[in-house]
Amino acid sequence: MSGLGGWADLPDGLLHSIVALFSSFHDLLAFAATCRPWRAAFSSYPSKSALYSLFPPLLLQPDVPFCSPHPLPNVVSDTLVPKRPCHVTDLASQDTQLCSQIPLLKIGYGNYAPPSALDRFYFSGASFGHMIFASNKTCLVFDVFTGIVVSPPPLPVDKYTEIYSGAALTAPPASRNSHLIVSTGLSNFFWRVGSNSWLKRSPRNGTLKNIVVFKGQVFGMDSDRRLFMVHLTPRIRIQKIPVAWGGSNSMSKWHLSIPWLVACGDMLLLVGCRSSFPGTGDVFEAYRLDMSTEPAKWVKVEKLENWAIFISNDERSQPLSCMNPERWGGRSNCVYCCHSGRWVEFELGKPLQGDASKPEVFVFICCGSMVQPIWVVPSMFSLGCDG
């Protein structure tokens, strides 16, 4: 250590070895916020996306009444978008009370809305550590951990069109070739982050509403459960993937009430249960995409092995996955949902049993205008942010 001027002068190699020892996103965020050299060392970490799968996502709960006065590191306080506190739970560090901020919307307050609240904006989706809000032609992409807002150009739609059907990013906005995809219910529009215009592209007789990135490739599903691969380069092109439903060890098209596309290690999964509102006695099932046959098919997965899946209370929020959850006290082969301010674990393939603390569980899944409890990964750790 002789010859070093202080902690800020520690070599990157040593700092990288320290980063690999952390056990929660909060620790990593605090490390990156310590000083400029440490943040630079974190930015040069060989594979930040590898860290993404080692920790559980953070649970944002906008309506939890108590919120710690201690914000998450790196939260910006001087943006032009009005904000309100949002309670954050880190399953890997449950003794730490955290608080983030989300945009303050007039919706939900009625006549009691603060004067600064955003009028006529509503929640449209969440992905890669960002929430997406919309009001007719205007979209806001809000990083819930930094407070940074990205504003696309106005959508080329009439004054009656809204983006209720969903919006998703294909990568964090800072990533190369990141796109925002929105659905108006009738059409999809693509905006390459940083460009000056939108491009209208949709599947024939439908729109993409369920977006996921798997092994660097964008996949989507429409309301008729047709599966598509989205090519962003050299031009935007939507390719239908023929899928056979039914048959041995598979499922019928409408077997799951709400199907979620989930990237889980080397598997692209379709996850859900037969109830629209998962609860006591309900069973989560998972099916992996098998493209070794033509047409492709969904094959039932009996176990997630050393993986866990996290599903938010708004179906437009991208599901997330985590490897080796026992590392932080969680359970493999489980689907995590939020119920009454707490998380609940559905073991895959088994009905949820009530207990003294949760005799009856009812997970409210919606597609509304207000922000619901959602699982998020800070954008700096999201897949696609390396390099």
Side-chain angles (χ1 to χ4, degrees):
M1 294 292 293
S2 62
L4 291 179
W7 293 103
D9 298 317
L10 292 174
D12 284 359
L14 177 59
L15 292 174
H16 289 167
S17 65
I18 294 172
V19 167
L21 298 175
F22 288 135
S23 59
S24 70
F25 279 129
H26 179 260
D27 292 341
L28 290 165
L29 287 165
F31 174 92
T34 300
C35 61
R36 188 169 296 176
W38 285 27
R39 182 173 182 84
F42 171 79
S43 297
S44 65
Y45 189 80
S47 180
K48 292 187 293 296
S49 59
L51 299 172
Y52 151 88
S53 62
L54 295 179
F55 310 121
L58 302 173
L59 177 61
L60 270 63
Q61 301 181 76
D63 296 321
V64 172
F66 170 77
C67 194
S68 164
H70 305 294
L72 281 166
N74 291 339
V75 170
V76 176
S77 59
D78 59 351
T79 61
L80 298 178
V81 175
K83 299 181 293 293
R84 67 183 180 95
C86 182
H87 187 271
V88 179
T89 300
D90 185 352
L91 272 64
S93 183
Q94 297 179 33
D95 294 333
T96 304
Q97 296 293 330
L98 302 173
C99 182
S100 184
Q101 294 179 320
I102 61 175
L104 176 63
L105 308 181
K106 184 165 289 187
I107 187 170
Y109 286 92
N111 295 328
Y112 301 98
S116 62
L118 294 175
D119 190 18
R120 299 178 181 175
F121 275 83
Y122 47 85
F123 178 78
S124 296
S127 53
F128 294 101
H130 291 73
M131 290 183 181
I132 301 149
F133 300 88
S135 175
N136 186 226
K137 299 182 180 183
T138 304
C139 293
L140 296 176
V141 182
F142 185 88
D143 189 321
V144 296
F145 297 104
T146 67
I148 295 174
V149 179
V150 176
S151 299
L155 272 162
V157 296
D158 61 38
K159 64 180 180 180
Y160 303 106
T161 300
E162 299 291 353
I163 310 172
Y164 287 120
S165 298
L169 291 163
T170 63
S175 299
R176 184 173 58 253
N177 203 36
S178 174
H179 284 70
L180 173 64
I181 306 175
V182 303
S183 173
T184 64
L186 297 175
S187 303
N188 285 119
F189 291 88
F190 290 70
W191 175 62
R192 183 174 59 81
V193 176
S195 67
N196 297 320
S197 61
W198 294 82
L199 188 63
K200 185 177 180 180
R201 288 287 187 276
S202 305
R204 180 173 295 180
N205 301 320
T207 59
L208 300 174
K209 298 181 180 180
N210 197 339
I211 307 292
V212 67
V213 179
F214 175 63
K215 294 185 175 180
Q217 179 64 58
V218 180
F219 289 83
M221 183 173 282
D222 68 2
S223 57
D224 194 40
R225 304 193 178 178
R226 296 181 300 166
L227 184 65
F228 299 89
M229 185 181 296
V230 182
H231 303 274
L232 299 175
T233 58
R235 59 183 177 81
I236 294 175
R237 181 169 58 90
I238 300 174
Q239 174 190 354
K240 181 181 177 181
I241 301 176
V243 175
W245 296 93
S248 176
N249 205 30
S250 187
M251 61 174 166
S252 61
K253 179 187 290 189
W254 305 104
H255 177 69
L256 302 177
S257 178
I258 302 177
W260 285 273
L261 284 174
V262 187
C264 187
D266 290 330
M267 299 183 294
L268 178 60
L269 299 178
L270 198 61
V271 177
C273 65
R274 304 190 71 174
S275 171
S276 298
F277 305 107
T280 305
D282 289 324
V283 178
F284 267 93
E285 303 174 38
Y287 297 81
R288 66 173 177 85
L289 181 65
D290 180 3
M291 296 185 66
S292 65
T293 63
E294 292 187 10
K297 59 182 179 180
W298 296 104
V299 179
K300 188 167 187 179
V301 174
E302 300 296 338
K303 285 187 175 294
L304 298 175
E305 301 302 337
N306 60 334
W307 287 86
I309 290 172
F310 299 79
I311 289 178
S312 299
N313 291 57
D314 191 300
E315 61 184 88
R316 296 164 299 182
S317 300
Q318 288 181 347
L320 300 166
S321 58
C322 172
M323 185 172 60
N324 298 325
E326 285 76 12
R327 183 175 182 266
W328 45 265
R331 294 174 57 200
S332 296
N333 196 46
C334 285
V335 177
Y336 283 74
C337 299
C338 182
H339 162 70
S340 299
R342 297 289 295 173
W343 56 92
V344 58
E345 303 164 342
F346 289 80
E347 185 174 357
L348 189 74
K350 295 185 179 181
L352 179 68
Q353 303 296 322
D355 55 33
S357 62
K358 298 185 289 289
E360 287 292 333
V361 171
F362 178 85
V363 179
F364 180 67
I365 305 292
C366 72
C367 188
S369 302
M370 300 173 63
V371 179
Q372 301 296 324
I374 62 172
W375 301 97
V376 291
V377 170
S379 59
M380 65 174 67
F381 306 106
S382 296
L383 293 173
C385 66
D386 292 326

